Structures are given as C-alpha cells and as structure tokens.
Amino acid sequence: MSEDAGRDCVFCRIAAGEIPAQRVAESAQVLAFRDLNAQAPTHVLLIPKQHVVASAGEMFELAAAIARDEKLDQGWRLVTNVGPHAGQTVHHLHLHLIGGRPMQWPPG
Ligand code: AMP
Ligand code: ZN
C-alpha cells in the first residue's frame, strides 16, 4: 500500500463510504461508481476496493456487466490514465468505463 492510501486517497474514502458516490455495481474486490465530471452519458469508474490490490479479470468482468446494464450496445471504452502525460489525477488504480456517444480515435 502506498503512502497516500487511506484517509488521503479520495477513492479509498469512497470505498469506505466516507465520501458519497453514486454506486453502480460492486463485486468482491471491485467497486463501480459514476464519475463526478462525466465525459459521456455513461462514465463509470471501476476501482479495486483496496488501494493497490486488484484483480484485472474481475475489473473487466464487472465493466462488461455494467456496459450491458447501461445498454451500451453501440460500443464502449475502457481507459486507464497513468502518469502526468495521460492526465492521471487520482493515484488509486481505476478504469474509466465510457459510452453512450460516438468517440474519437486517437483520444486527445
Ligand atoms: P484520472 O484522471 O484518470 O486519475 O481520473 C480520476 C477521475 O476521478 C476523474 O475523472 C474525476 O472526475 C473523478 N473523481 C474525482 N473525485 C471523484 C469523486 N469524489 N466522485 C466521483 N468521481 C471522482
Ligand atoms: Zn486509494
């Protein structure tokens, strides 16, 4: 666990229920909630409930299930931002699930 885990990490505080979030789904190790600053009609964040430990397979499975629930039958995108060039702002592993509108490639 890195030093910003726990009280200083916004996603740890959401997972602990200390900061409100619009929860969409969860599984044993993964929590999904809506992004505060949505970039598309569906913009869901998937995080491991623990600061570092993550099961990639479980995250992808829950993302696919949410995409089905949200009826994103025209397509959807999973994004993970790592580091300053990608614009990462929260240093707790997370996937963005985005869908509900046509998207450009490559991303900006
Ligand atoms: P990233 O830039 O990949 O690190 O993404 C972090 C994301 O977390 C951004 O899209 C923010 O809008 C989102 N975010 C930050 N704080 C919250 C919060 N309290 N509830 C929901 N989403 C948040
Ligand atoms: Zn954290």
Side-chain angles (χ1 to χ4, degrees):
M1 197 175 278
S2 75
E3 5 182 275
D4 65 348
R7 293 210 61 77
D8 295 335
C9 173
V10 62
F11 287 175
C12 283
R13 298 191 66 191
I14 287 173
E18 295 172 11
I19 293 179
Q22 204 181 337
R23 291 170 178 237
V24 174
E26 67 182 300
S27 59
Q29 294 185 74
V30 180
L31 174 66
F33 53 93
R34 298 199 189 276
D35 197 295
L36 266 187
N37 183 25
Q39 300 301 312
T42 289
H43 186 164
V44 170
L45 298 174
L46 294 105
I47 66 164
K49 292 176 182 174
Q50 290 198 27
H51 191 71
V52 173
V53 176
S55 158
E58 189 179 325
M59 292 183 81
F60 278 84
E61 272 180 25
L62 193 62
I66 295 167
R68 279 193 297 276
D69 288 348
E70 302 264 326
K71 303 191 178 4
L72 302 179
D73 48 306
Q74 296 300 304
W76 45 282
R77 185 173 284 174
L78 280 180
V79 178
T80 186
N81 296 317
V82 179
H85 276 189
Q88 183 180 17
T89 56
V90 178
H91 298 276
H92 176 135
L93 176 68
H94 56 282
L95 298 179
H96 296 252
L97 168 61
I98 296 168
R101 64 166 172 83
M103 284 172 270
Q104 309 282 317
W105 189 263

